Amino acid sequence: MARRDFYEILGVEKGADQDTIKKAYRKLAMQFHPDKNPGNKDAEEKFKEAAGAYEVLSDTQKRAQYDRFGHDAFTSRGGGGAGFQDAEDIFSHFGDIFGDLFGGGGQRQQRRSRNEPRRGSDLRYVTEITLKDVLSGLEKEIEFDTDENCKTCNGSGAEKGSTPEACHTCGGSGQVVRSQGFFAMASTCPTCHGQGTVVKNPCKPCKGKGRTSVHKKIRLNIPPGVDTGTRLRVATEGEGGYMGGQPGDLYVEIRVKPHNKFERRGDDLIGDLSVSYVQMLLGGEVEVPTVTGKATLEIPRGCENGDNVKLSGEGLPSLRGSRRGDIYYHVSVEFPDKLGKDEEKLLREIAKEKGLKVSSSGKKLFG
Ligand code: ZN
């Protein structure tokens, strides 16, 4: 494989000083940064190429060797420079250069061995409550399964009295490295799957996995005013930590069951209500359902079909603790299916007084 000249790659003169080399590299690294060129293989290659060139030219000793022998200076090691496996590798190598460029790119999480303490995952749990629960808040017990470090082997997976041994394939690094042209390629060790250790005598309770499942029961305090989509965080009740790491958190997501009478709009509720034509005309009090029971609603005189009549303060509490919302009743006029004798008599008198022509009696109302 023909290799490009390192000076040429960085676009600097042979005699360029360290500052110029650093600047030239930063410029290229920014241009071909994988975050800016997602999925672009060509940019990735250029990014690696620049890193390889910079690795040599930024090191006085390597640069002197390179100046003298060219690429041959490094062939005995299977390529120029250390060889970079991927962008992560480059970040951890030249972190100080990237740190101020890419918002902490240099401090990216590095590959970690499973034998180091690691925080457990956060868990998500969805729970369904009723509208009535939203009104009062509730205490609810939830149960779920997760896992944690095996207490018998402390997470090592090795039987009591024994310890995991360094993997012979990778020598404990968890990675196997092979040279491929310019770069040394590292991949996860097939024997230990990246752990760097192998367990000869597996721990019995966890079958060598180092983890055991746990059944958790938690009392949740759901405050009044929650809505579908509200997330409650329960600190440290997530998956157990690895190797002494912190446990994750539990996030409980609320779903509010649809109500058969009311629809929710923020802290307000909307419901349908039929009101007698007499009360619509004259106004008056009617009994209405609320979330918890019944209340009296004042129908204003001359109320029209389709009006929304408000019942103050009977809606839902606010999560922010301000006043309760209201209930709005969407009113529709109600006519009797069948007129009583007296009612019909009175209506006919009204019609007569108003000079309205009405049909003769005996016909059924509404079909
Ligand atoms: Zn165990």
Side-chain angles (χ1 to χ4, degrees), residues 50-330:
Y54 179 68
E55 207 239 341
V56 171
L57 297 188
S58 63
D59 180 315
T60 327
Q61 221 180 334
K62 286 182 191 165
R63 185 179 175 184
Q65 277 180 286
Y66 178 73
D67 285 346
R68 236 179 126 189
F69 304 110
H71 288 294
D72 290 343
F74 310 106
T75 41
S76 57
R77 294 174 46 203
F84 295 105
Q85 183 212 348
D86 54 22
E88 288 303 313
D89 206 9
I90 293 169
F91 290 129
S92 61
H93 207 84
F94 298 133
D96 55 332
I97 288 194
F98 292 108
D100 54 332
L101 272 183
F102 301 107
Q107 285 91 52
R108 274 175 185 229
Q109 204 180 24
Q110 289 180 28
R111 187 170 289 102
R112 279 189 181 176
S113 147
R114 258 189 60 186
N115 299 322
E116 284 175 41
R118 185 157 59 84
R119 188 176 175 274
S121 301
D122 290 336
L123 298 178
R124 179 171 164 267
Y125 186 98
V126 178
T127 190
E128 206 173 44
I129 64 171
T130 66
L131 201 61
K132 206 169 162 180
D133 298 331
V134 174
L135 205 65
S136 51
L138 82 154
E139 218 177 66
K140 189 174 184 178
E141 193 172 70
I142 60 168
E143 298 183 33
F144 56 94
D145 292 312
T146 181
D147 59 275
E148 60 180 20
N149 255 3
C150 170
K151 292 202 170 67
T152 309
C153 64
N154 251 330
S156 76
E159 199 176 29
K160 253 193 170 155
S162 75
T163 46
E165 293 168 25
C167 172
H168 292 297
T169 311
C170 63
S173 71
Q175 294 194 331
V176 284
V177 181
R178 68 202 155 85
S179 291
Q180 197 177 66
F182 189 79
F183 293 105
M185 306 296 282
S187 56
T188 303
C189 173
T191 308
C192 66
H193 307 291
Q195 277 186 265
T197 52
V198 285
V199 173
K200 281 267 164 65
N201 306 302
C203 165
K204 289 202 176 69
C206 68
K207 298 189 181 71
K209 289 199 296 276
R211 303 286 286 176
T212 46
S213 76
V214 274
H215 186 73
K216 284 197 178 191
K217 268 190 195 177
I218 286 169
R219 285 204 83 75
L220 261 186
N221 244 319
I222 301 177
V226 294
D227 201 349
T228 291
T230 303
R231 290 211 311 170
L232 305 172
R233 176 173 167 266
V234 190
T236 73
E237 291 293 356
E239 186 199 36
Y242 291 82
M243 307 304 293
Q246 285 289 309
D249 296 333
L250 171 71
Y251 286 91
V252 179
E253 196 178 306
I254 306 291
R255 295 236 174 105
V256 182
K257 276 185 212 160
H259 193 270
N260 62 354
K261 287 195 177 75
F262 298 112
E263 207 175 284
R264 181 175 184 169
R265 291 216 190 125
D267 301 332
D268 292 334
L269 296 171
I270 323 272
D272 288 326
L273 183 72
S274 304
V275 178
S276 156
Y277 72 103
V278 181
Q279 280 174 307
M280 295 282 273
L281 289 169
L282 303 176
E285 288 182 346
V286 291
E287 191 179 73
V288 288
T290 62
V291 179
T292 46
K294 289 181 169 79
T296 304
L297 179 72
E298 183 74 34
I299 302 292
R301 191 180 163 90
C303 182
E304 288 185 35
N305 203 28
D307 279 358
N308 288 307
V309 183
K310 181 163 94 174
L311 182 63
S312 279
E314 287 291 329
L316 301 170
S318 159
L319 253 189
R320 295 169 299 281
S322 48
R323 69 173 285 278
R324 266 175 78 174
D326 307 313
I327 302 183
Y328 288 90
Y329 294 91
H330 188 76

